Amino acid sequence: MQAVIMAGGKGTRLRAITNDEIPKPMAPVAGKPILQWQIECLRDQGVTDVVLIVGHLGEKIQDFFGDGKAFGVDIRYIQETTPLGTAGALSLLPPLLKEDAFFLVFGDVLFDIDLGRMLTFHREKQARATLFVHPNAHPFDSDLVICDSTGRVQGFDSKHNVRTGWYHNCVNAGFYLLDKAVCEWVPEERRVDLEKELLAEMIARGEPVYAYRSSEYIKDVGTVERITAAEEELRSGYIAKRSLRNRQRAIFLDRDGTVNRKNGLVWKEEQFELEDGVVEAIREINRSGYLAILVTNQPVVARGLCSVEDVENIHKKLETLLGREGVYLDDIRFCPHHPDKGYPEENPAYKIPCHCRKPDIGMLEECAERYNIDLEKSWMVGDTTMDIQTGKNAGTRTALVLTGDAGKDGKYNAKPDLVCKDLGQAVKMILEG
C-alpha cells in the first residue's frame, strides 16, 4: 500500500509553536514533528511508499525527511506552486501511484489505526472512497457524515449548518482510502474541496463512497491546546492502546432503565430522558480507555409500536444530548425482534427468534469482532437479570444498577459481580477495580 499526505498549510492557529518558520505538519508533538508520527505509524504497518504534497515552507519538510530512507520509507514529493485546496493536488498523483488504492492523510492529524481492518472494509464494500469516521466529544461543531445502515455515505452535514433536529455523532476524521481512479476525476490545476466537491459529486452520481467507523485514536492537532492534550495521551499510552491491533476492553450498557429513565416502553423520542449522572459516568468511560457500547432489546418494533427508523431517531437524540456535554458512545446496537406472537398490532417481519436478542449474545459478539474486544476483560451493566444473564452468557463480568427495574424482573437466577445504585457508581467501581 501507498500513502499520500497533504503536508501543506500555514498553520496560523499554531503560530505560537511554528513562529511561521516551519509548516504546520512539522509542529513538534512530544519531541517529534506531527508528520514523523504519521510516517512511523504507516511504516510500522507496512506502508513504506509515501508521497508528500507540500506547499508553504515545503523545503523545511524536504530538508528534514529527504528521500525517507533514514525513516524506513521511500518518500517522493509534489510541490504545490499555488494552493489547490484539499483535493486539487490529487490530479498530479497518477504518475506516482503504483497501487490501485492509497491512504490519504491530512498533515495535522495524529492517529494510531489498524490500517489492515480499514483496507479489508474498503475492499469488501468495493468502495471507490472510504472515509474514516468516529464519534467525537464535540459533534456540534464538527462536519458530520450521513450514512445508511450499510455505511454507505449519503451526504454531509457541515458544522456551519443550523441543526434543528437530532443527529448521529459520526464525524469525518480526515483519513481516507481512495481508489486511484478518483484522481482522474479531479480537474487539473484547479482548487478543489475534497468533501464539498469531489466526494459530494461522487455520491451524487452513485459512486460507492463508504464510512469506516472505528473507536481508534485520531485527532486534529491543529491548535496549541490539542497538541498539549495529545502529548499527555501519548505519554500515558492511551493512543497506542486504542489501536484495534490491540485487544480492547468494553463496558456494555443496557439502555432503558440504565442510561435513560424507564418510562414504560420507550418508543417515542419525547419519552426519552437520561438518568441522573449518566453523562458523567460515560465521560469517565471515555477517559478510561474502555469502549462505551450500548446494547439494547427494542421489541417495540416487533410489537408494531414504532419503526426501526423511530428507534434510530431516539438514538440520534441520545447521541445529540451526550455530544452537547462532550461525551459519546463508541457504538450503539439494538435488537428489534421478539419471538412471542399474539399482539394485534405486531409486525410479523420482526416476530422471529434471533441471535441478537438478550440474553443471547449476538450483539456483543458482533462488537467483539468489530472492535477486537476481549469479552473476559469487559463488563455488562444493566438494570435487569436479563442483562446480567447476557453478560454471563458472553463471559463478561456484570454489574446490576438499582435504577429502572433494579433487578426485580425476576426472569433469570443470575447473580451479578457488582450491585450499584446507578450507572455512575457502577463505572466508578469498575474503573477502581
Side-chain angles (χ1 to χ4, degrees):
M1 288 297 297
Q2 291 179 278
V4 176
I5 303 177
M6 294 287 194
K10 292 184 177 180
T12 54
R13 296 180 298 170
L14 286 175
R15 189 166 287 136
I17 293 177
T18 66
N19 199 29
D20 207 26
E21 295 176 350
I22 56 174
K24 178 169 57 174
M26 293 300 292
V29 178
K32 288 191 285 192
I34 300 168
L35 198 50
Q36 186 176 347
W37 284 108
Q38 294 181 332
I39 288 171
E40 289 176 351
C41 185
L42 293 166
R43 177 203 64 200
D44 291 347
Q45 295 184 69
V47 181
T48 57
D49 191 327
V50 179
V51 177
L52 298 182
I53 299 175
V54 299
H56 176 68
L57 296 176
E59 67 277 5
K60 300 285 187 178
I61 294 175
Q62 295 191 52
D63 289 345
F64 186 88
F65 288 101
D67 62 7
K69 288 185 170 51
F71 298 89
V73 296
D74 293 316
I75 296 178
R76 290 168 291 168
Y77 297 87
I78 291 176
Q79 175 73 48
E80 283 187 344
T81 53
T82 58
L84 296 175
T86 51
L90 298 184
S91 66
L92 306 174
L93 278 175
L96 301 181
L97 295 177
K98 301 175 182 177
E99 307 291 340
D100 292 334
F102 61 94
F103 292 102
L104 177 67
V105 189
F106 285 163
D108 59 356
V109 173
L110 191 66
F111 60 87
D112 194 342
I113 297 168
D114 185 338
L115 302 176
R117 283 176 177 261
M118 186 174 180
L119 179 60
T120 297
F121 177 90
H122 179 80
R123 288 174 171 166
E124 287 178 348
K125 296 295 186 181
Q126 298 183 318
R128 286 291 197 182
T130 296
L131 292 66
F132 187 105
V133 301
H134 62 161
N136 75 8
H138 52 100
F140 48 84
D141 66 357
S142 300
D143 292 332
L144 302 178
V145 183
I146 302 169
C147 309
D148 67 14
S149 59
T150 70
R152 187 159 182 159
V153 179
Q154 307 296 298
F156 303 98
D157 184 359
S158 169
K159 61 186 176 184
H160 302 298
N161 292 340
V162 177
R163 295 175 185 154
T164 57
W166 312 118
Y167 51 82
H168 284 308
N169 185 347
C170 182
V171 177
N172 187 4
F175 193 101
Y176 305 84
L177 248 174
L178 300 180
D179 273 10
K180 180 178 180 179
V182 173
C183 299
E184 308 289 348
W185 302 330
V186 180
E188 292 184 10
E189 298 182 13
R190 203 192 87 187
R191 190 180 184 92
V192 178
D193 185 281
L194 178 63
E195 184 178 286
K196 296 176 183 176
E197 295 180 83
L198 179 59
L199 293 175
E201 290 170 5
M202 288 173 61
I203 293 165
R205 66 172 181 262
E207 297 288 348
V209 177
Y210 278 85
Y212 170 75
R213 183 183 176 110
S214 178
S215 59
E216 293 166 291
Y217 186 98
I218 180 164
K219 285 187 181 178
D220 170 354
V221 288
T223 69
V224 175
E225 295 77 15
R226 291 177 187 172
I227 283 182
T228 301
E231 288 179 326
E232 177 54 37
E233 288 166 328
L234 277 165
R235 279 191 289 266
S236 69
Y238 176 83
I239 295 177
K241 288 178 183 176
R242 296 287 288 198
S243 171
L244 296 188
R245 299 193 305 280
N246 300 315
R247 295 283 271 168
Q248 303 294 302
R249 298 181 299 171
I251 298 178
F252 294 99
L253 306 173
D254 173 53
R255 197 190 84 177
D256 302 331
T258 303
V259 168
N260 59 285
R261 295 192 177 102
K262 203 152 195 172
N263 294 328
L265 288 173
V266 177
W267 57 277
K268 295 185 290 187
E269 64 174 77
E270 51 267 34
Q271 296 173 289
F272 188 90
E273 301 175 279
L274 291 175
E275 283 278 3
D276 293 338
V278 162
V279 167
E280 288 307 314
I282 295 176
R283 192 186 313 280
E284 290 305 313
I285 300 175
N286 294 158
R287 289 171 175 167
S288 72
Y290 276 90
L291 305 184
I293 300 178
L294 192 80
V295 287
T296 174
N297 291 345
Q298 289 302 314
V300 288
V301 177
R303 289 186 58 171
L305 295 174
C306 67
S307 65
V308 166
E309 291 72 24
D310 292 324
V311 176
E312 289 281 3
N313 196 52
I314 290 171
H315 290 157
K316 286 180 182 179
K317 179 177 181 178
L318 169 59
E319 292 182 66
T320 304
L321 293 176
L322 294 178
R324 288 174 182 172
E325 301 297 328
V327 305
Y328 56 89
L329 294 166
D330 290 288
D331 207 341
I332 296 176
R333 301 294 174 104
F334 70 93
C335 169
H337 308 114
H338 196 287
D340 298 336
K341 301 179 181 180
Y343 296 95
E345 72 280 13
E346 68 188 19
N347 185 335
Y350 295 97
K351 279 290 182 179
I352 58 172
C354 65
H355 184 47
C356 54
R357 179 175 167 80
K358 296 183 291 184
D360 213 334
I361 61 174
M363 290 187 286
L364 280 70
E365 286 181 328
E366 286 178 5
C367 291
E369 173 66 24
R370 179 71 185 79
Y371 298 110
N372 194 19
I373 295 169
D374 186 339
L375 290 174
E376 290 185 359
K377 295 182 179 179
S378 299
W379 287 78
M380 178 72 221
V381 182
D383 68 309
T384 67
T385 61
M386 180 181 288
D387 295 314
I388 305 308
Q389 188 63 52
T390 302
K392 291 187 176 299
N393 290 345
T396 72
R397 300 189 71 188
T398 58
L400 178 72
V401 292
L402 300 181
T403 50
D405 282 340
K408 297 177 182 177
D409 58 303
K411 291 185 177 179
Y412 297 90
N413 185 27
K415 305 299 181 184
D417 295 292
L418 298 175
V419 177
C420 311
K421 67 176 183 178
D422 56 20
L423 182 58
Q425 186 182 63
V427 169
K428 183 174 185 293
M429 293 179 71
I430 289 169
L431 299 184
E432 287 178 349

